[in-house]
Amino acid sequence: MRSLNHGGCICLLLCILFSLCASIETIDGIAKIPAVFTFGDSLVDPGNNNFIPTWLKANHPPYGHDFMGSEENGRFSNGQLATDFIASGLGVKETIPPFLDPNLNTQDLLTGVSFASAGTGFDNFTSAVGSAIPMWKEVELFKTYKGRLENMVGVENASNIIEQAIFLAVAGSNDFMENYLFLPERRAQFTVQQYQEFILEICTNFIEEIYKLGVRKLGIAGLPPLGCIPGVKTLYGQSELNGCIEEFNDISTSYNQKFKDILKGLEGRLPGIRLEYIDIHEYLSDMIENPSLYGLETTQRGCCGTGLIEIGPFCNAKTPITCTNTSTSVFWDAVHPTQAAYQIVARVVLRQHIPKLL
């Protein structure tokens, strides 16, 4: 980041700050948002894992196949993430950069970054499986960010930016996909219902911690339809199933209902917070069940290789892209959606959820 010691840089920073911290104005019915931040896993990680020692990286082809400017950007998709489209739709910026990128500039920091890490979960054991950044450490990174922001613009202005910013969080899927459903340790300790409650308790603590740091507008997603994800179906020997594993979808559904109830309770006891539940289970399920409504065709496998097992290092430069048109597929690899699917989700979030946070 460039030094701010010179008078010209300070003037530039003050001009940027004035535009960001001015009273909220409405443009085309959407209030002006100063910044967008994200916490969570690979669905919102734009490349933080590029900068940590983990095998869960997407900074190689064919990831980024349709991304503007660079294939090796670290997003687990062929292009932009839903959160990129949301930031763009709000007029904040085209993409959200990873906080760990050493080349972040002043404008990047002022308008929001991502603390997310592919492979993480609320359960510390989950993040250890892929050597990802645990959710508690993502909160610590946010604390570091807040300190840098305060040094740049002062405590009061930093608080205003954080209070008016939109925060988006997506986590929990890996706790079940990487951990509970496929490894023995947690299943030996918890029933499904107990593990759901265990994860939700940690999630509650996460929300309380970022609230203490000034977050007031949080959109947070529940679990996707776990039983519809190609990689999950493959690991359970049902990769050719023309449909979903309903047992796993039921886990998602019951978890999400408990989660919604918890969010209502938190809104009642955390003064000033606005919490918006984002139902990615519903959105992805509808794309899979009714693809033609969205201009989609391929729903049972991804575009990378067979689309049934490839992810991370197993989706690489030597892996062929097997879908004829990435814009008509729901999944890019065996777990992650395509840019097209992310854009559909982003449109729903911008239309239905963001206004409720303002």
Side-chain angles (χ1 to χ4, degrees):
M1 188 177 72
R2 295 179 181 176
S3 171
L4 299 178
N5 292 329
H6 300 292
C9 290
I10 292 175
C11 289
L12 174 61
L13 177 58
L14 289 175
C15 289
I16 294 171
L17 180 61
F18 178 80
S19 66
L20 290 174
C21 293
S23 59
I24 298 178
E25 56 181 319
T26 299
I27 302 176
D28 295 330
I30 298 289
K32 183 64 177 175
I33 302 299
V36 179
F37 299 87
T38 67
F39 294 98
D41 56 29
S42 55
L43 295 182
V44 290
D45 178 8
N48 279 309
N49 275 22
N50 296 351
F51 307 102
I52 63 172
T54 175
W55 60 272
L56 277 172
K57 297 179 186 287
N59 58 345
H60 55 267
Y63 288 106
H65 179 268
D66 301 302
F67 188 81
M68 51 185 185
S70 172
E71 288 188 348
E72 300 180 0
N73 65 85
R75 288 166 173 80
F76 279 78
S77 186
N78 60 309
Q80 292 174 263
L81 305 177
T83 43
D84 293 319
F85 287 118
I86 291 168
S88 177
L90 289 171
V92 176
K93 54 186 171 184
E94 288 302 304
T95 59
I96 301 176
F99 177 62
L100 295 184
D101 185 346
N103 297 314
L104 291 178
N105 58 37
T106 299
Q107 183 71 0
D108 290 329
L109 291 168
L110 284 171
T111 53
V113 293
S114 174
F115 308 102
S117 174
T120 200
F122 289 112
D123 186 347
N124 287 338
F125 185 76
T126 302
S127 58
V129 172
S131 299
I133 301 169
M135 288 296 289
W136 66 265
K137 191 169 183 180
E138 290 189 23
V139 176
E140 293 300 310
L141 290 176
F142 177 44
K143 289 179 183 178
T144 300
Y145 164 83
K146 185 177 180 183
R148 289 174 65 177
L149 187 64
E150 289 173 347
N151 289 335
M152 289 168 56
V153 302
V155 173
E156 183 177 354
N157 288 326
S159 295
N160 287 338
I161 291 174
I162 291 171
E163 183 175 328
Q164 295 179 14
I166 294 292
F167 287 77
L168 300 167
V170 182
S173 298
N174 292 325
D175 292 313
F176 292 89
M177 288 194 302
E178 291 181 16
N179 190 346
Y180 189 83
L181 295 177
F182 300 112
L183 298 176
E185 285 85 353
R186 291 309 193 202
R187 288 203 308 275
Q189 293 177 274
F190 302 103
T191 65
V192 171
Q193 292 75 19
Q194 289 171 337
Y195 191 65
Q196 289 174 335
E197 292 165 4
F198 174 70
I199 295 301
L200 288 168
E201 181 179 358
I202 301 172
C203 179
T204 298
N205 292 336
F206 161 76
I207 294 172
E208 291 172 339
E209 286 301 308
I210 62 174
Y211 174 80
K212 293 175 185 176
L213 295 170
V215 174
R216 293 298 181 268
K217 301 176 181 180
L218 175 64
I220 188 163
L223 296 184
L226 295 172
C228 298
I229 295 172
V232 173
K233 294 197 297 180
T234 297
L235 290 173
Y236 263 74
Q238 299 189 55
S239 58
E240 298 302 322
L241 179 67
N242 187 24
C244 304
I245 303 175
E246 292 308 318
E247 176 188 356
F248 292 170
N249 282 355
D250 290 342
I251 292 174
S252 298
T253 301
S254 60
Y255 173 96
N256 289 342
Q257 185 54 59
K258 294 174 184 177
F259 189 27
K260 285 186 279 189
D261 293 340
I262 286 173
L263 292 180
K264 290 178 183 177
L266 284 170
E267 277 197 317
R269 62 183 179 84
L270 298 178
I273 198 168
R274 294 184 182 179
L275 297 172
E276 180 66 9
Y277 172 75
I278 298 173
D279 197 345
I280 59 173
H281 186 287
E282 177 186 346
Y283 308 146
L284 280 176
S285 294
D286 201 43
M287 280 186 245
I288 292 167
E289 293 170 9
N290 304 291
S292 61
L293 296 178
Y294 303 93
L296 302 172
E297 297 175 2
T298 306
T299 64
Q300 300 298 317
R301 62 180 67 221
C303 292
C304 189
T306 65
L308 301 176
I309 194 65
E310 293 85 356
I311 180 177
F314 304 106
C315 175
N316 55 57
K318 296 181 180 179
T319 310
I321 299 173
T322 55
C323 59
T324 56
N325 186 351
T326 59
S327 67
T328 60
S329 292
V330 174
F331 294 100
W332 167 247
D333 60 19
V335 171
H336 302 97
T338 57
Q339 175 176 264
Y342 278 132
Q343 190 167 27
I344 292 166
V345 172
R347 286 172 183 158
V348 177
V349 172
L350 285 165
R351 184 175 65 250
Q352 296 185 9
H353 300 292
I354 296 297
K356 296 177 183 178
L357 291 172
L358 303 181

